[in-house]
Amino acid sequence: MRALFAVSSLGLGHATRSLVLIQTFLQRDYQVTIVSTGNALAFLRLELADHPAVDWQDMADYPPLERGTGWRFYVYLLFDLLKTWQRIRLEHRSFDAGAAEYDFVFSDGRYGFYSRWTPSFILSHQIAFIPPKGLHEIGWLSDHLNAVALKKFDRIFIPDYPGPSRNLAGNLSHSPVLNQAQHDYIGILSAYPRLTRPQDIDYLFVISGYLQEHKGAFVRDLLAQAEGIPGKKVFVLGDPKVDMSQYQAFQRDNLTIYPLASGDLRVDLFNRARCVISRAGYTTVMDLVEHDKQALLIPTPNQTEQEYLAYYLGSLKYFVTRDQSTQFDLAAALTECQSQQAFVPPWRTEDSVSRILDAMSGLIYKNFFSIIVPAHNEEGELARTLDALLALRYPANRMEIIIVENGSTDATLSIAQRYESRVDTLISIHVIQSELGVSRAKNAGLALASAESEWVVFCDADTYLGPEALHQFNTWINRHGTDGLSVGTTQVRPQPAHRLYARLWFGIYDVIHRVTHSSYAIQLARTPIARGVGFHVDLNFAEDLIFTRECRRYGRFFFVPTNQVATSTRRFEARGYLRQSLRWVMEALMPRRMKRQRGYDVIR
């Protein structure tokens, strides 16, 4: 099992809250690929150092928005937004090409990591944006553009509580633009487990944040004021590359400075702290609520999200807040922290993780597929078909291949038996024989299907499934299964596909099958429904039309627009596309009593 986590580097908060989920899936034996950059990637590498099930990819992130001052702020904002849009497109193209390698992708703040054929999830509390000064009139536009980007994911997980008044992010996370999107308020996520530790650190200063231009002078001012405050103090600067020599003069017996705290040290410091002084980043807020900590929150200048959070949470008296741009008395602010009203969360991180897992479960579930291949005199095609099935990238314990030889007079049976006896595959392969007739063969395959089988795929012996076929079928079914699906088919490409003429005809067939609820070369059906309906043994052609029609009594017909199914053009090459098409129309409209009287013309 493989998962990809794409983590924004615009602040360490994305990395710390994602760490909880990454560790959860590592415990579930997933191989995890982590995509990030900068301090976020460095932090995750420290936390998961030498973990054998983790792969790393360093990919450039979006530019930090809301930098600069005065008129430069708006110039930077315009260029940074354009660059962000370009990078979203680039990372989507880069990821989507190999998305089928993963069972799911989980993004925290990186909008390009979604896929049509792989379950895609995003974690974001910022559904609405707080526009900078002068741009409030177009705030609705940014909210809707953000919603369009978020809706490309199967599920949006909002780390907040659903109550309109009892929540932590206010208007940031509670926006009507998501009314038509699949989203869940999952509660807080904190990477700090609750430990029994003495509260022997009076003040813990955690001054991270990605806007470095506002940071240096501010940290030095805090250090200068902290010298005059009694008690034990610890500073964590949140930057592994910081030059510690510039802070050497501030080191005291009761004042310790770390460039970055990770692993056990990070958890230990946070649990021991009595009061926390930090940026007003949302992940920090969740950490504070998880541990019932008193805190002084100081938003990064021009960072409208942090400024809004500080105003919102300060007005509710959950935390004390101060503006960095206005020099404030640190001692007085810390005294005020003693009287703050704690926010009591309806539930905490452990339950939040369970809610995420429950919401994901239906989309990452691996259905059990039984692939039934009826084969009559197919010695020229069967090996190629079976080689393609054995190359499917799908869990071997969630699929089986059933080959039903029926009345062949060539080497079809011996070819099938050779594949059944292979020891170099974990896929279950069964070979049986039935009486002559495609309907009898399909019924025999249905009777042998595993008790675990949930979906059956009827695949002609000259129809080839691409390596991602079951992965795509599974994703499509999980996304639409709640709609009461019963039977369907897929897009089918011609094989060989080099002729434009053939591709045009097959495109027409796809439209016809989609509109008329019919099929050619491949059918998918829920196994219990297929078993209950079965195929009429007196029919040797058009049996799939009647089977599909009867299955539709128990649910909806569906069409999977995949590019992973191809079938031989030999019938069309032998008879001509127009002639074969007219013949199919005639056979479809023919009364059933006439269909019984006709045999199936074998073309080899």
Side-chain angles (χ1 to χ4, degrees):
M1 298 183 294
R2 297 193 64 190
L4 183 143
F5 279 80
V7 183
S8 172
S9 64
L10 301 182
L12 278 181
H14 296 282
T16 58
R17 69 190 187 187
S18 294
L19 179 62
V20 185
L21 298 172
I22 294 170
Q23 290 172 330
T24 297
F25 282 98
L26 287 173
Q27 292 167 4
R28 292 175 168 233
D29 296 326
Y30 274 81
Q31 181 78 27
V32 175
T33 297
I34 297 176
V35 180
S36 192
T37 193
N39 286 348
L41 185 60
F43 169 82
L44 290 169
R45 281 185 182 275
L46 286 171
E47 291 289 331
L48 301 168
D50 302 322
H51 199 296
V54 179
D55 301 317
W56 305 93
Q57 292 183 21
D58 191 334
M59 181 179 288
D61 207 340
Y62 318 138
L65 301 180
E66 301 170 343
R67 57 196 176 101
T69 57
W71 64 268
R72 294 180 182 83
F73 172 84
Y74 297 97
V75 175
Y76 280 135
L77 183 62
L78 176 61
F79 281 100
D80 289 343
L81 285 172
L82 290 173
K83 187 179 289 187
T84 297
W85 175 70
Q86 290 175 337
R87 287 198 178 161
I88 290 173
R89 293 183 62 195
L90 178 63
E91 68 186 13
H92 176 63
R93 288 199 300 268
S94 174
F95 164 69
D96 201 37
E101 297 179 20
Y102 302 99
D103 293 282
F104 69 87
V105 57
F106 201 107
S107 170
D108 187 340
R110 301 196 67 156
Y111 287 78
F113 285 87
Y114 63 90
S115 172
R116 183 183 189 187
W117 296 114
T118 296
S120 309
F121 309 95
I122 190 166
L123 181 72
S124 178
H125 68 279
Q126 200 163 8
I127 308 305
F129 289 98
I130 307 300
K133 185 179 179 180
L135 299 178
H136 289 282
E137 294 302 321
I138 62 170
W140 62 271
L141 178 60
S142 63
D143 292 351
H144 281 82
L145 290 175
N146 190 48
V148 168
L150 291 172
K151 288 176 183 178
K152 295 181 184 296
F153 293 82
D154 289 295
R155 210 70 164 222
I156 306 160
F157 295 123
I158 305 173
D160 199 1
Y161 299 101
S165 58
R166 194 182 175 198
N167 60 68
L168 292 171
N171 293 337
L172 292 176
S173 63
H174 293 74
S175 171
V177 297
L178 281 188
N179 285 346
Q180 302 302 316
Q182 291 291 329
H183 64 281
D184 297 282
Y185 288 93
I186 51 90
I188 58 175
L189 286 172
S190 173
Y192 294 99
R194 296 170 70 93
L195 304 176
T196 303
R197 293 287 189 274
Q199 303 280 292
D200 59 350
I201 298 176
D202 294 285
Y203 303 107
L204 174 64
F205 294 76
V206 185
I207 312 300
S208 59
Y210 63 86
L211 295 178
Q212 298 296 324
E213 62 186 292
H214 299 290
K215 191 172 179 179
F218 172 59
V219 172
R220 287 189 289 273
D221 179 62
L222 285 180
L223 283 164
Q225 291 199 57
E227 285 186 289
I229 297 173
K232 184 172 183 178
K233 293 146 288 189
V234 175
F235 274 73
V236 179
L237 303 180
D239 185 356
K241 300 177 182 178
V242 69
D243 179 9
M244 290 299 294
S245 63
Q246 62 181 310
Y247 300 112
Q248 193 64 38
F250 295 100
Q251 296 273 12
R252 299 287 187 275
D253 289 341
N254 67 344
L255 196 157
T256 306
I257 305 174
Y258 295 97
L260 183 71
S262 62
D264 293 340
L265 175 62
R266 174 180 61 86
V267 174
D268 181 65
L269 291 177
F270 199 86
N271 274 272
R272 289 165 55 197
R274 185 171 57 84
C275 181
V276 178
I277 299 88
S278 179
R279 292 298 192 191
Y282 187 64
T283 301
T284 299
V285 171
M286 294 193 291
D287 292 333
L288 295 168
V289 171
E290 175 79 12
H291 287 262
D292 305 311
K293 297 290 186 184
Q294 297 174 353
L296 167 62
L297 300 180
I298 308 165
T300 303
N302 291 337
Q303 236 271 1
T304 54
E305 175 203 350
Q306 289 193 13
E307 290 173 341
Y308 171 78
L309 281 172
Y311 165 79
Y312 176 72
L313 297 170
S315 67
L316 295 172
K317 306 298 183 184
Y318 294 147
F319 301 104
V320 176
T321 64
R322 289 292 186 272
D323 188 348
Q324 175 182 327
S325 60
T326 303
Q327 187 141 10
F328 62 88
D329 186 331
L330 178 61
L334 295 179
T335 300
E336 189 178 330
C337 288
Q338 308 302 317
S339 60
Q340 72 181 59
Q341 305 173 31
F343 176 89
V344 180
W347 64 85
R348 299 179 194 266
T349 295
E350 185 176 353
D351 289 335
S352 298
V353 171
S354 295
R355 289 168 183 260
I356 291 175
L357 295 176
D358 288 345
M360 292 176 64
S361 61
L363 285 161
I364 66 176
Y365 177 74
K366 296 297 185 183
N367 287 280
F368 191 109
F369 288 94
S370 298
I371 304 174
I372 297 176
V373 184
H376 171 72
N377 286 345
E378 291 286 4
E379 66 178 5
E381 298 287 343
L382 185 59
R384 182 178 177 181
T385 298
L386 296 180
D387 284 338
L389 293 181
L390 292 181
L392 285 167
R393 290 200 279 267
Y394 197 77
N397 64 342
R398 301 301 294 166
M399 63 176 289
E400 64 180 350
I401 300 170
I402 301 172
I403 309 160
V404 188
E405 187 281 317
N406 59 111
S408 298
T409 57
D410 61 5
T412 295
L413 179 60
S414 62
I415 293 172
Q417 290 173 335
R418 187 170 74 243
Y419 279 83
E420 183 183 32
S421 61
R422 287 179 62 161
V423 296
D424 60 341
T425 179
L426 298 176
I427 300 173
S428 176
I429 304 174
H430 308 285
V431 176
I432 58 173
Q433 291 182 276
S434 75
E435 296 180 55
L436 181 64
V438 65
S439 293
R440 289 186 173 88
K442 290 180 177 180
N443 285 340
L446 271 174
L448 188 62
S450 168
E452 294 183 79
S453 179
E454 293 163 291
W455 289 89
V456 60
V457 181
F458 296 103
C459 176
D460 287 355
D462 61 351
T463 297
Y464 321 111
L465 300 188
E468 315 302 343
L470 289 191
H471 174 85
Q472 293 190 5
F473 296 171
N474 188 70
T475 299
W476 202 96
I477 287 168
N478 286 344
R479 283 175 175 161
H480 300 85
T482 54
D483 294 343
L485 307 177
S486 65
V487 66
T489 191
T490 75
Q491 179 178 326
V492 179
R493 296 178 295 114
Q495 182 62 40
H498 60 272
R499 294 182 60 195
L500 176 61
Y501 186 73
R503 296 198 300 273
L504 289 174
W505 271 101
F506 270 66
I508 294 171
Y509 295 147
D510 287 336
V511 173
I512 292 173
H513 294 152
R514 193 167 193 164
V515 171
T516 63
H517 297 173
S518 57
S519 65
Y520 165 64
I522 186 170
Q523 301 88 43
L524 286 72
R526 286 192 187 273
T527 305
I529 294 175
R531 280 191 173 122
V533 171
F535 291 84
H536 293 273
V537 296
D538 56 348
L539 295 178
N540 289 310
F541 69 92
E543 80 292 338
D544 53 334
L545 296 179
I546 295 177
F547 171 78
T548 299
R549 184 186 310 143
E550 294 183 353
C551 285
R552 284 169 50 206
R553 293 162 50 196
Y554 303 96
R556 294 176 53 249
F557 178 88
F558 60 92
F559 182 93
V560 183
T562 179
N563 64 354
Q564 294 288 300
V565 180
T567 196
S568 171
T569 59
R570 60 186 178 179
R571 293 177 182 82
F572 308 98
E573 301 297 338
R575 291 190 178 132
Y577 280 85
L578 180 59
R579 182 180 176 188
Q580 179 64 47
S581 301
L582 292 174
R583 180 168 184 158
W584 276 348
V585 172
M586 181 191 71
E587 290 173 345
L589 297 175
M590 188 182 297
R592 185 171 165 184
R593 60 180 178 79
M594 296 180 64
K595 292 177 182 177
R596 293 196 198 101
Q597 297 170 5
R598 292 192 54 180
Y600 182 73
D601 294 335
V602 178
I603 298 177
R604 298 292 183 264

